[in-house]
Amino acid sequence: MMKFELGCHLVYSIYEPSTFVFNIGVVHNQYQQVEQEKLEIYPRLEIEEYNNPFNGNRYLRLNAPKCQMEISYQAIVELHHFLQDPHEVQEVTPANLPLEILPLLLPSRYCQSDQLINLAFSEFGHLTPGYSRVTAICNWICQKVIYLSGSSDHHTSAYDTATERVGVCRDFAHLAIAFCRALNIPARFVNAYAYGLNPPDFHACFEAYLGDRWYLFDPSRLVPQTSIIRIGTGRDAADVSFATIFGMVEMNEMRLSMQPLPDPTTGKVDQPFFTTEAIAIS
Amino acid sequence: MMKFELGCHLVYSIYEPSTFVFNIGVVHNQYQQVEQEKLEIYPRLEIEEYNNPFNGNRYLRLNAPKCQMEISYQAIVELHHFLQDPHEVQEVTPANLPLEILPLLLPSRYCQSDQLINLAFSEFGHLTPGYSRVTAICNWICQKVIYLSGSSDHHTSAYDTATERVGVCRDFAHLAIAFCRALNIPARFVNAYAYGLNPPDFHACFEAYLGDRWYLFDPSRLVPQTSIIRIGTGRDAADVSFATIFGMVEMNEMRLSMQPLPDPTTGKVDQPFFTTEAIAIS
Amino acid sequence: MMKFELGCHLVYSIYEPSTFVFNIGVVHNQYQQVEQEKLEIYPRLEIEEYNNPFNGNRYLRLNAPKCQMEISYQAIVELHHFLQDPHEVQEVTPANLPLEILPLLLPSRYCQSDQLINLAFSEFGHLTPGYSRVTAICNWICQKVIYLSGSSDHHTSAYDTATERVGVCRDFAHLAIAFCRALNIPARFVNAYAYGLNPPDFHACFEAYLGDRWYLFDPSRLVPQTSIIRIGTGRDAADVSFATIFGMVEMNEMRLSMQPLPDPTTGKVDQPFFTTEAIAIS
Amino acid sequence: MMKFELGCHLVYSIYEPSTFVFNIGVVHNQYQQVEQEKLEIYPRLEIEEYNNPFNGNRYLRLNAPKCQMEISYQAIVELHHFLQDPHEVQEVTPANLPLEILPLLLPSRYCQSDQLINLAFSEFGHLTPGYSRVTAICNWICQKVIYLSGSSDHHTSAYDTATERVGVCRDFAHLAIAFCRALNIPARFVNAYAYGLNPPDFHACFEAYLGDRWYLFDPSRLVPQTSIIRIGTGRDAADVSFATIFGMVEMNEMRLSMQPLPDPTTGKVDQPFFTTEAIAIS
């Protein structure tokens, strides 16, 4: 068990009446138990909430007038990780995958798996299928792609990153997802809170469907996996932007915070750690 | 009311045990009333069916051994179109769209609306919002993009077609979808049976969400809209391939057929026609 | 006649021994008569000069140690424009073009004319060939592409700009060149000093081969054509970068200056002006 | 010494008066001594010849009326290879390269070396500079890129091939050139006659500037390097198309032939062979 206090604070200048769809609240499930949660918006605006039944993503829509707007989300979350011996985590053939998961084998805007099939097979096709193959993909990306802030933008896709070999966590995740799908391993993008990013920011990683569930992977290796708290999952970053905005708006400030909290029974603060075990939070 | 007998017949050489996911059955709803339907597979193989609750798509999965396989689908479908005066069909702002429809505003593999925003606004931004603006998009594509068989492949996307100005019905639909989404009009890809293609083939067109429903548009202008029978809808062609195949397989034959049937009450065969009315089948 | 004093001053931090190839000196020809010219480098380094016989470009190579380096170029240039009635300036067919000019019909790194043929013909194919058609290309770009500093980078090409419809003067020139070549009009990129840019910077425009010479065009419309002083011409920006650098180097400062000088006979300063006449400086 | 009889025969249907620029004659130099050479065109048309002084390419321009045209080129060529111990062939730094060779370090239409810098350095940056590093690039491509006829088209570039990992000899050469330039090794595209292609066709390979000359490399490994006879060199395939055509024309036939001839002094036919020596023909 691990416990975190986390939050984000966003400030916008809105130059004309605009619509926002936020995706900043953590997913509620047995692995992410939300103890407290608080959303504050100034000025006070009506909010409409939509929870996607398929993946648990929580979307908030609000229509804002011309104004300066602040939105802040705070939560205390207890994480109960599902951990497994990686040697026991197998790939599932398309013959046996749950049918509702098949769309996560398809190429998407930022993960053109159809164009990376030869590359994926040449690099990973000979490896033993299973959890270790997805780990090999993460190792490859971590070693061969340079992490460089500002090196990519919102148009950058896995196709670019495979060749240009530079990017940020979002690009690392897109490339890993594209490789997985090219190898017939379902994979989805994860937007998350995570502990230890400097400067603090939303984090991007991914999940691959292996055995009977979605396992978490982070090819950036920037944060301990045990500190990753899921906000949203989708085909790629397009689906889980923390803010999709329709209107003329400027973001003035984005502050994220995250702290481990003491275990109430022991009073000790467990520090998040890197693990080589197979880990899942959904 | 219009009635059609339609079908497809597919033959594959399967060189190793392979998995197929077919999407060839017409969607069942009040606008597409399926009177008879027959699926035949040789050799006889077990079939697993998955109906997507969100869009009505019907997926069939089957695992085939090394063999020669034939699959054939036949149906008789009565079409009851929803028709509307186009002047009364309005665009819906992101502030008012049903929240579950918002993902159809996002860019996808073949519809990079994020990269076409300036082009879309420069060409269509000044037009009166509404059904007529989507029609203007279809006119633009029909006039400016050359229809040429074999000019594109399964990697070709709206980004390419916008510049190279050549493609087939699938490319026309992708470009129209990307323009719509760039203008904040939800749009989705439609795979369909349609009457009058020469040679007969599956047809691709698209639907835009206007007013309170998904209206049908066909920028290729190759077939009367009243003959289009929906098989599947998705973000783009990746979602609704008539056959997604995992394994070493060659397609040897694909035959499609479609015939209008007489109205049982009048005995007369109504020929499908082009219409300028707003038309919907979902 | 028009006379300018112009110059540039560049400062670099050089972190390891590095090689520079500068292309900052103005081309010497009868239209650009260089009265005075001064090059200063600190620290004093040996310079090797190469003048391309084909296009008059002047390249300076120098090998610098780890140091802080300053290079400054100053010149006084008298411009004698070749001016012509645009109605008398014709396109030249590939059958009649000087053979050494044919390579300027070919696609290049940033001007993929091969991929823009349909777009070019659809937009400009029906226009009367000649100077006015190249003007129409410039008008199209000036109207349909948004000029926005920082919107593109050194990877951005005509293919991107045709679709994304945003860029800077370099992108405007690349797109114009690609359109010209697609229409079988030879075109080349021009790097130049020009009067009136804010902030001062090197300017990019292009030349099209019409009649018996290279005529100057500026689709950005940012500066009077009569103030453009040619530094280099090439297939595209790759050929005429003001500094091609091999080594670990950071540019700390770039200052450009340009002032019209009085005519010595009249004592009057002629201000550069926009012209609708066909204009050439080579 | 090696001797070949070679030729090509091309047949075109010309639907309107059209201009052709052919590049089919072998380069004349001390390594490629042309004993006999014959060009036949039917119908008899006037030909204009242009020999590029920089690289020896020979261009033929002819203006053809509406007709059926045949052009045939035959030559007997004695090859005197420059051979060298590869260990003695060094890379030349940009500080020491002949200045007129620097443009062959720049990116071009099909060789976007600027976008492949990270990939090139990650794969080859740690290798000892010299002939063996270019050999390592060829090995990498030969092993990692699948050779597949029809898998690419005239739009395919090194950027695509680096990621899609499939192509033909032209794509192999483009990728190798892009890698070399990214590593600051000048490289140019070579169009050639070569012995042993099945079906016979023009061959594409490349040259890298090392030591004091252009050495020949063939990442496709399809033909013995000692049988490669240079037709043209350029930045990439755009520069040395065997036929650049302006007009409405269809190619009906292309036949190439090539045979080793006996050495006149010994009467023996020397068969071309693969060599690991550094080899040059210019």
Side-chain angles (χ1 to χ4, degrees), chain B:
Chain B
M1 197 272 293
M2 205 150 280
K3 202 173 191 167
F4 291 95
E5 180 166 18
L6 59 85
C8 69
H9 182 78
L10 309 166
V11 182
Y12 294 95
S13 292
I14 305 174
Y15 300 115
E16 60 176 24
S18 297
T19 299
F20 291 75
V21 179
F22 287 107
N23 178 214
I24 52 177
V26 311
V27 166
H28 291 202
N29 67 25
Q30 56 173 313
Y31 306 100
Q32 304 194 150
Q33 295 178 9
V34 179
E35 282 193 5
Q36 298 177 23
E37 202 171 26
K38 191 169 60 175
L39 183 77
E40 289 178 315
I41 298 179
Y42 180 85
R44 297 186 67 140
L45 296 165
E46 201 183 333
I47 291 177
E48 206 177 344
E49 182 157 357
Y50 172 69
N51 295 325
N52 185 313
F54 183 58
N55 54 27
N57 294 1
R58 300 159 67 198
Y59 296 100
L60 303 170
R61 175 165 61 183
L62 54 88
N63 299 312
K66 185 168 185 300
C67 70
Q68 189 82 359
M69 184 178 82
E70 305 198 14
I71 182 165
S72 121
Y73 171 82
Q74 295 291 325
I76 293 178
V77 182
E78 223 181 80
L79 287 181
H80 297 265
H81 295 106
F82 177 91
L83 294 173
Q84 172 80 301
D85 177 353
H87 301 95
E88 292 178 11
V89 178
Q90 307 302 323
E91 291 183 21
V92 188
T93 65
N96 295 307
L97 280 171
L99 276 160
E100 70 274 16
I101 279 175
L102 285 173
L104 276 317
L105 284 177
L106 300 174
S108 62
R109 170 65 183 92
Y110 298 111
C111 306
Q112 303 97 329
S113 44
D114 56 309
Q115 296 187 291
L116 294 168
I117 286 178
N118 288 326
L119 177 55
F121 271 88
S122 139
E123 298 291 328
F124 313 111
H126 59 290
L127 300 179
T128 311
Y131 187 91
S132 61
R133 182 147 76 153
V134 182
T135 299
I137 290 172
C138 295
N139 291 345
W140 190 98
I141 292 172
C142 193
Q143 283 160 24
K144 299 202 182 236
V145 182
I146 298 164
Y147 193 98
L148 184 62
S149 281
S151 63
S152 62
D153 64 23
H154 61 292
H155 293 328
T156 307
S157 66
Y159 190 78
D160 304 314
T161 308
T163 306
E164 302 189 10
R165 299 283 172 98
V166 64
V168 298
C169 58
R170 164 192 154 114
D171 306 303
F172 281 48
H174 282 153
L175 184 53
I177 291 168
F179 281 149
C180 285
R181 292 183 190 161
L183 298 166
N184 293 334
I185 304 168
R188 64 186 190 184
F189 189 88
V190 174
N191 194 22
Y193 292 99
Y195 181 65
L197 288 177
N198 185 1
D201 200 346
F202 291 105
H203 189 50
C205 51
F206 79 101
E207 290 179 343
Y209 193 88
L210 298 166
D212 60 351
R213 70 187 61 231
W214 289 102
Y215 284 92
L216 187 68
F217 293 88
D218 181 4
S220 81
R221 305 277 153 84
L222 288 179
V223 297
Q225 307 102 300
T226 50
S227 81
I228 293 172
I229 299 184
R230 194 147 66 84
I231 300 170
T233 57
R235 294 196 177 187
D236 56 31
D239 279 3
V240 288
S241 182
F242 70 88
T244 305
I245 301 172
F246 305 93
M248 207 191 298
V249 169
E250 201 178 342
M251 186 168 78
N252 304 126
E253 198 184 328
M254 176 172 87
R255 265 188 295 124
L256 279 94
S257 61
M258 188 162 171
Q259 283 304 326
L261 293 183
D263 185 318
T265 57
T266 68
K268 255 186 48 193
V269 173
D270 288 326
Q271 289 297 324
F273 54 91
F274 285 89
T275 179
T276 58
E277 281 194 272
I279 183 170
I281 49 177
S282 63

Side-chain angles (χ1 to χ4, degrees), chain A residues 199-216:
Chain A
D201 200 347
F202 290 105
H203 189 50
C205 52
F206 79 100
E207 291 179 341
Y209 193 88
L210 299 166
D212 60 351
R213 71 187 61 232
W214 289 101
Y215 284 94
L216 188 69

Side-chain angles (χ1 to χ4, degrees), chain C residues 2 20 55 62 69 130 139-140 183 195 233 261-262 273:
Chain C
M2 207 151 276
F20 290 76
N55 54 28
L62 55 87
M69 184 178 83
N139 291 345
W140 191 98
L183 297 166
Y195 180 64
T233 56
L261 292 182
F273 53 91

